[in-house]
Amino acid sequence: MRMSVVDVGSKTVRLVVADAEGGVPLPVHTAKWRMRLSEQVPPGGHVPDEAVRQLCDAVAAAARTAERWGAATPLAFATAVVRSAPNCQDVLRAVRAATGVPICTLPGEVEAELTFLGARRWMGWRSGPLALLDIGGGSLEVAFGRGRLPDFVASLPLGANRLTHEFFDGQDPPSPESIKALRRKVRHQLRDVSARIRWEGPRTAVATSRTFQQLSRLCGSAPGRHGPFVHRELRCADLGAAITRLASLPASERSALPGISAPRATQSLAGALVGHTTMKLAGLKVVTICPWAIREGVLLRHIEDGPAWWSEVTRDVEGIGSAGASAAGPVPLRIAAPAR
């Protein structure tokens, strides 16, 4: 069985085509289309018409690519940048009408659950009680669990792009006062979540997302070209030292540092501050960088639980109007109770 998944993020539209024989999603082709939605959509702002057109083109191209590789219509979802837009449902309907792909949004907590599943399957049962951190453009997802799915999840408005706009807009590099203000907000938002992680006492902590991958590379991990099976980790102390380095440079010079790509250079400092503060508050001295995340989690749920669960995600997308949904109203999804 060949499957595909499309992930509309804050910077790119990503496609993964995978073979699912034996219950494991083995990638056969990946592709991405640069969108940089976060540069066109302020946090919580409307997605403009031109960005919707570009999104339709990218999703259509992804669907054609998936078909050429022998996969059915992609399982497609958009993350926080679309989910939090007041015209979210209009965007979803426009993409579906233009491409035939039943795209949806996922609640942040569901993103965390699916990402946890991908990390659990990659890390295996020997990792024991597992804590997960994932920094996106618009939100931070945190999860903890002992089984296949997490016992506890949280999604907080602490994404790297969101906080860059809120605290560093027009400052390059930002002032020490702005950095302190950002840290204060992260500490306040994470107070209860981090206390729960400390109380649970995870045996293993993992981090996913491009933000953590790039920060790990900045702190000395092997580059991506060495492949996914190379062990990579990020230590809290090393990240703290890297923040001093990032804070002293404008975005144009950060992009020359190891691992920091030009499209993410502006938000790299905010991402580092969120990651470091979260690790400190949660008592995590080191996190393992996990290459499997939400896209693999979507594929795994489809393999393990069958197509019915995704049908529920996408049902009635066209029938949900702005009067029947909140400004950031996601398409609802029920997740099975965590397995112990």
Side-chain angles (χ1 to χ4, degrees), residues 34-327:
R34 294 198 181 280
M35 279 284 299
R36 300 190 181 181
L37 278 175
S38 60
E39 297 177 13
Q40 305 179 62
V41 184
H46 282 75
V47 181
D49 291 343
E50 176 60 20
V52 175
R53 185 192 65 77
Q54 294 172 8
L55 181 55
C56 290
D57 289 345
V59 173
R64 291 193 299 270
T65 303
E67 184 178 12
R68 286 199 302 271
W69 282 85
T73 301
L75 311 174
F77 63 94
T79 50
V81 67
V82 174
R83 182 176 68 228
S84 61
N87 62 336
C88 169
Q89 299 302 330
D90 293 333
V91 174
L92 299 179
R93 282 192 289 269
V95 173
R96 185 168 190 170
T99 67
V101 176
I103 190 171
C104 66
T105 58
L106 302 174
E109 292 78 7
V110 174
E111 288 188 13
E113 290 175 331
L114 292 168
T115 304
F116 182 93
L117 174 59
R120 168 62 79 192
R121 289 292 185 251
W122 180 271
M123 298 297 294
W125 294 111
R126 67 176 296 176
S127 57
L130 184 69
L132 167 81
L133 308 178
D134 185 292
I135 301 173
S139 60
L140 164 71
E141 274 69 56
V142 181
F144 171 85
R146 296 172 177 83
R148 169 179 175 254
L149 295 176
D151 306 317
F152 162 77
V153 296
S155 180
L156 302 168
L158 298 175
N161 182 68
R162 179 191 294 269
L163 295 181
T164 298
H165 276 278
E166 183 177 347
F167 290 94
F168 299 160
D169 197 26
Q171 301 180 45
D172 190 22
S175 67
E177 291 74 22
S178 296
I179 292 173
K180 290 179 181 178
L182 188 155
R183 277 201 187 268
R184 279 197 299 270
K185 174 165 184 172
V186 176
R187 285 197 297 267
H188 175 73
Q189 293 270 337
L190 274 170
R191 181 182 57 193
D192 295 334
V193 173
S194 60
R196 173 67 182 269
I197 297 298
R198 288 197 310 272
W199 182 81
E200 294 284 6
R203 173 174 177 170
T204 305
V206 299
T208 64
S209 76
R210 290 293 295 166
T211 295
F212 271 118
Q213 289 172 5
Q214 293 195 0
L215 292 171
S216 174
R217 175 72 185 108
L218 176 64
C219 292
S221 289
R225 66 177 181 274
H226 289 185
F229 297 108
V230 173
H231 179 74
R232 297 176 175 89
E233 63 182 25
L234 178 61
R235 294 190 173 277
C236 187
D238 293 340
L239 184 54
I243 286 172
T244 302
R245 194 176 178 190
L246 290 168
S248 68
L249 298 174
S252 59
E253 295 182 28
R254 289 180 206 152
S255 61
L257 297 174
I260 305 299
S261 65
R264 295 177 182 272
T266 300
Q267 67 183 51
S268 59
L269 176 58
L273 288 163
V274 172
H276 184 250
T277 305
T278 305
M279 291 177 69
K280 284 191 68 175
L281 290 177
L284 305 175
K285 294 182 179 180
V286 60
V287 293
T288 298
I289 305 301
C290 178
W292 275 13
I294 187 169
R295 292 184 290 276
E296 291 76 17
V298 168
L299 292 171
L300 285 162
R301 278 302 300 263
H302 198 277
I303 293 167
E304 296 175 3
D305 296 340
W309 81 275
W310 187 257
S311 298
E312 187 173 350
V313 177
T314 57
R315 69 179 182 179
D316 299 329
V317 169
E318 292 183 276
I320 297 175
S322 58
S326 66

